[in-house]
């Protein structure tokens, strides 16, 4: 992958494809912390075959006021 699994999918989630970031779930051209988390979590779950790989690790997000903060605008 060239990076850690987490970093790989984080960068992939911010890539523009078809005019939108891959992780921009609602298409508003703003990627929130929750949107990128959801993208990375799902991608890692698939990569690690539903967490059965012993080398797997799950990303985590702290719930709270900043979970909906925009971290990437394009």
């Amino acid at each position: 992958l060239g990076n850690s699994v987490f970093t790989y999918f984080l960068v992939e989630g911010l890539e523009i494809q078809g005019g939108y970031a891959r992780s921009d779930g609602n298409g508003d051209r703003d990627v929130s912390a929750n949107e990128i988390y959801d993208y990375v979590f799902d991608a890692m779950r698939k990569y690690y075959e539903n967490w059965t790989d012993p080398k797997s690790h799950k990303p985590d997000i702290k719930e709270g006021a900043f979970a909906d903060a925009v971290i990437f605008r394009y």
Side-chain angles (χ1 to χ4, degrees), residues 22-35:
R22 291 178 185 229
S23 60
D24 188 3
N26 61 7
D28 65 356
R29 304 185 69 77
D30 290 336
V31 176
S32 70
N34 274 331
E35 285 177 317

Side-chain angles (χ1 to χ4, degrees), residues 6-45:
F6 174 83
T7 302
Y8 178 85
F9 289 120
L10 178 71
V11 171
E12 182 182 87
L14 297 175
E15 288 177 348
I16 307 299
Q17 182 179 36
Y20 294 95
R22 291 178 185 229
S23 60
D24 188 3
N26 61 7
D28 65 356
R29 304 185 69 77
D30 290 336
V31 176
S32 70
N34 274 331
E35 285 177 317
I36 192 66
Y37 168 76
D38 289 344
Y39 182 88
V40 171
F41 185 92
D42 191 49
M44 288 179 69
R45 182 183 55 77

Side-chain angles (χ1 to χ4, degrees), residues 5 44-58:
V5 174
M44 288 179 69
R45 182 183 55 77
K46 290 175 186 170
Y47 180 84
Y48 285 125
E49 298 174 354
N50 213 25
W51 313 117
T52 59
D53 184 331
K55 295 179 184 176
S56 67
H57 60 280
K58 294 180 185 178

